[in-house]
């Protein structure tokens, strides 16, 4: 198990390096720097600014010093918010994004698994068709459409929930979490259903039935664990989607989180903030992929010896 | 002996007919296919069908609810919404098809070469795919669009570059198993070049999963384009796609909800149809593991 985790960690290093290098050079070669603003800046001032942020040094030297700063956990100063470090800005965005992601994950798992189990227990009846066609709608309906529609219906017409905001009025966290979680709930429902159906047709379930175990125990104690592997394998990569989904959801609902920061940083050409948040996202994604691999290996010992089906 | 070979041969040719019969039995897939054909035709023929031009403003009218004159209403500039949706659909569908073709070409070539070459080349090429697969792509798409401007061509390219990875994996595993078969051995002993074998024998035999995955790639590509346009980084006015129409609709949804609902409906119905058609094709061609 530890060797498995170790080899996965080793694989993560080149990924992270490529992410950092790609973003670094992409941003540096981009036309228009952070100081090429509307106002004409006096050349001396510009030079002084560039010296302050080490933009006058050769590119590779800049890259080297950025890497060494990064290794010490220092993302550098922000270009657009003078006097604030990228670390501070990222730290300010984390709580809201983490909370949103957490609730969305709960929505995805609880809603999705419930729907999937209900569907699998009575296949090809209306209890199967209803949740599964709703899941199809959830997959086809993009976040940026579902969010506004929910706001329109529950916020503006029915006036059940606040329209936007985060942690200001009670209940304003419901719609963002639902919006972000819905698509994943749909995938989880489909995976749970197909996984459970497959497991329920296996011999050891027949044995359990032959022993006269109640249906409840068979499903929740014996079948569910085996059918969760695809769900767990899905949740790791889904985390990446959850992050990019948070760009939209945080923009729509005005949640002061990382996603909104990133979009703003990209528009502002705030080099260090873009770099910092990209690296931060990449680390998170790698970590969550690792976690889901480890969890999948724990659920299915067959994966531990080999490399698993993903490679 | 002769009879059995010809029987096998006949069964072989009827694979596509079998698939077609199975597909026709799947009502949802057929409905999806018909919906797609209708939407595509409407989008292509809209200049001849609609009495309105897509930029033609009627500022006196402004935003109006659906009526007999304007079936889906008009936007704040008095432009006919149905016409704009159909013109927007041209861009959305075009992005879907072209970006998927980019992904198709890169992915199939990459996967076929890796699978056929095997050994170190294969290991290197697939390790590359693994690494790229782990990159946070949405972030790079946003970055590229911000940095290099909002250009339609770049949009195709970027989306295509994101979506080829899974295609490469599918084609590689197909080619790997096909490579073991006798007819490839025969082709090698006939002295055909590797490239000819890949092009003439391997790729055509791996086409089933490729078709299925292509149908499933188009909706995810369209979704990506809509997402980028929604953020204001994709299609720029006066041009519009379903994504940018939805973004416009969100701004005024309180007073004029139809401006959000109808473009959203157009996008969702198309994605719905594509997904059902893709699922139907997967069952009909009996392809496993093309998506899940």
């Amino acid at each position: 198990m530890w060797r498995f985790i170790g080899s996965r960690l080793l694989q993560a290093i080149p990924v992270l390096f490529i992410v950092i290098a790609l973003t670094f050079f992409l941003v540096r070669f981009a036309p228009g720097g952070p100081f090429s603003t509307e106002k004409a800046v006096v050349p001396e001032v510009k030079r002084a600014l560039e010296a302050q942020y080490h933009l006058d040094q050769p590119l590779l030297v800049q890259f080297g010093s950025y890497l060494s700063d990064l290794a010490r956990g220092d993302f550098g100063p922000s270009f657009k918010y003078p006097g604030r470090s990228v670390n501070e800005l990222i730290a300010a965005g984390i709580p809201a994004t983490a909370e949103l992601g957490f609730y969305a994950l709960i929505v995805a798992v609880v809603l999705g698994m419930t729907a999937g189990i209900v569907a699998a227990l009575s296949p090809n009846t209306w209890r199967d068709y209803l949740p599964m066609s709703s899941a199809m709608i959830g997959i086809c309906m993009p976040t940026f459409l579902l969010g506004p529609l929910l706001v329109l219906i529950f916020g503006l017409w029915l006036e059940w929930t606040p329209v936007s905001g985060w942690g200001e009025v009670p209940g304003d966290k419901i719609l963002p979490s639902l919006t972000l979680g819905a698509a994943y709930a749909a995938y989880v429902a489909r995976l749970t259903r197909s996984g459970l159906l497959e497991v329920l047709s296996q011999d050891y379930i027949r044995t359990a039935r032959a022993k006269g175990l109640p249906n409840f125990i068979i499903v929740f104690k014996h079948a569910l664990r085996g059918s969760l592997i695809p769900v767990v394998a899905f949740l790791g990569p889904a985390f990446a989607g959850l992050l990019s989904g948070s760009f939209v959801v945080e923009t729509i609902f005005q949640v002061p989180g990382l996603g909104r920061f990133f979009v703003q940083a990209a528009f502002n050409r705030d080099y260090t903030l873009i770099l910092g948040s990209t690296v931060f996202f990449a680390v998170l994604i790698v970590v969550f992929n690792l976690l889901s691999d480890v969890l999948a290996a724990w659920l299915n010992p067959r994966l531990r010896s080999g490399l698993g089906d993903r490679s | 002996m002769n009879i059995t070979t010809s029987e096998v041969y006949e069964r072989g040719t009827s694979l596509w007919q079998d698939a077609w019969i199975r597909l026709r039995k799947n009502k949802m897939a057929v409905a999806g296919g018909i919906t797609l054909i209708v939407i595509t035709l409407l989008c292509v023929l809209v200049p001849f069908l609609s009495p309105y031009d897509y930029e033609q403003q009627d500022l006196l009218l402004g935003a109006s609810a659906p009526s007999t004159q304007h079936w889906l209403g008009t936007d704040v500039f008095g432009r006919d919404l149905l016409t704009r949706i159909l013109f927007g659909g041209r861009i959305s569908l075009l992005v879907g098809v072209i970006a998927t073709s980019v992904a198709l070409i890169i992915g199939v070539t990459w996967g076929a070469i890796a699978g056929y070459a095997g050994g170190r080349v294969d290991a290197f090429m697939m390790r590359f795919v693994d690494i790229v697969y782990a990159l946070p792509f949405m972030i790079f798409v946003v970055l590229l669009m911000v940095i290099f401007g909002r250009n339609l061509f770049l949009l195709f390219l970027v989306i295509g570059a994101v979506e080829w990875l899974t295609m490469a994996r599918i084609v590689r595993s197909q080619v790997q198993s096909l490579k073991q078969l006798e007819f490839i051995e025969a082709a090698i002993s006939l002295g055909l070049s590797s490239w000819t074998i890949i092009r003439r024998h391997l790729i055509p035999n791996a086409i089933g999963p490729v078709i299925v995955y292509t149908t499933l790639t188009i909706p995810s590509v369209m979704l990506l384009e809509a997402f980028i346009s929604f953020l204001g980084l994709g299609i720029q006015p006066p041009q519009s796609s379903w994504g940018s129409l939805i973004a416009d609709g969100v701004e005024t949804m309180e007073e004029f909800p139809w401006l959000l609902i109808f473009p959203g409906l157009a996008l969702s119905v198309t994605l719905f149809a594509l997904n059902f058609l893709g699922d139907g094709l997967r069952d009909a061609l009996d392809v496993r593991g093309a998506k899940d």
Side-chain angles (χ1 to χ4, degrees), chain B residues 88 99-100 145 184 252:
Chain B
T100 304
M145 296 315 287
I184 297 298
T252 54

Side-chain angles (χ1 to χ4, degrees), chain B residues 274-291:
Chain B
L274 274 164
N275 271 315
F276 274 119
L277 183 64
D279 281 354
L281 278 174
R282 175 171 47 187
D283 295 343
L285 290 168
D286 199 19
V287 177
R288 302 195 112 246
K291 195 181 180 191

Side-chain angles (χ1 to χ4, degrees), chain A residues 19 30 136 140 244 248 266 281, chain B residues 135 138-139 146-147 227 271 275:
Chain A
V19 170
M136 199 68 185
C140 290
S244 57
V248 169
F281 280 138
Chain B
L135 298 181
M138 203 57 101
I139 293 174
V146 168
I147 292 171
F227 168 74
L271 295 178
N275 271 315

Side-chain angles (χ1 to χ4, degrees), chain B residues 84-102:
Chain B
R84 286 185 67 75
I85 288 178
L86 291 180
F87 269 101
R90 291 176 142 199
I91 302 232
S92 293
L93 291 171
L94 201 68
V95 171
V97 171
I98 294 187
T100 304
S101 314
V102 173

Side-chain angles (χ1 to χ4, degrees), chain A residues 205-270:
Chain A
I205 298 298
R206 196 163 11 140
T207 311
R209 285 198 201 286
K211 281 189 347 192
L213 285 181
N215 204 20
F216 182 84
I217 303 262
I218 292 175
V219 171
F220 284 91
K221 195 170 165 206
H222 297 285
L224 206 54
R225 178 173 158 159
S227 64
L228 281 186
I229 295 164
V231 176
V232 171
F234 165 76
L235 282 179
F239 185 79
L242 222 60
L243 279 179
S244 57
S246 73
F247 295 176
V248 169
V249 173
E250 287 179 10
T251 310
I252 294 173
F253 293 99
Q254 293 170 12
V255 178
L258 276 179
R260 213 164 60 133
F261 268 155
F262 174 76
V263 175
Q264 280 170 358
F267 276 108
N268 286 339
R269 297 181 191 285
D270 190 339

Side-chain angles (χ1 to χ4, degrees), chain A residues 15 18-19 22-23 30-31 136-137 140 142 144-145 148 151-152 156 244 248 262 266-267 269 274 278 281 285, chain B residues 131 134-136 138-140 143 146-147 150 169 223 226-227 230 233 250 253-254 260 264 267-268 271-272 275-276:
Chain A
V15 170
I18 291 175
V19 170
L22 211 65
T23 325
M136 199 68 185
I137 295 174
C140 290
F144 55 84
L145 180 59
V151 170
L152 192 64
L156 295 172
S244 57
V248 169
F262 174 76
F267 276 108
R269 297 181 191 285
I274 296 177
T278 307
F281 280 138
I285 290 171
Chain B
I131 289 177
L135 298 181
M138 203 57 101
I139 293 174
F140 280 109
L143 267 185
V146 168
I147 292 171
R150 294 102 201 236
R169 285 185 172 175
L223 212 65
F227 168 74
F230 178 82
L233 296 170
V250 169
M253 66 179 181
E254 197 168 357
L260 170 65
L267 180 65
S268 307
L271 295 178
F272 220 66
N275 271 315
F276 274 119

Side-chain angles (χ1 to χ4, degrees), chain B residues 239-275:
Chain B
Q239 276 187 319
S240 58
S241 74
W242 287 336
S244 65
L245 284 175
I246 291 172
D248 292 346
V250 169
E251 312 240 308
T252 54
M253 66 179 181
E254 197 168 357
E255 304 114 294
F256 318 121
W258 60 90
L259 291 179
L260 170 65
I261 291 170
F262 291 125
L265 213 60
L267 180 65
S268 307
V269 167
T270 309
L271 295 178
F272 220 66
L274 274 164
N275 271 315

Side-chain angles (χ1 to χ4, degrees), chain B residues 10 15 24 45 54 67 72 76-77 111 148-149 155-156 167 171 177 185-186 206 219-221 239 241 250 266 283:
Chain B
E10 265 172 32
L15 172 80
R24 265 194 321 201
L45 298 176
Y54 107 114
S67 62
L72 298 185
V76 280
F77 297 110
F148 295 107
L155 189 65
F156 292 143
M167 188 73 84
V171 173
S177 53
E185 220 168 286
S220 69
V221 166
Q239 276 187 319
S241 74
V250 169
D283 295 343

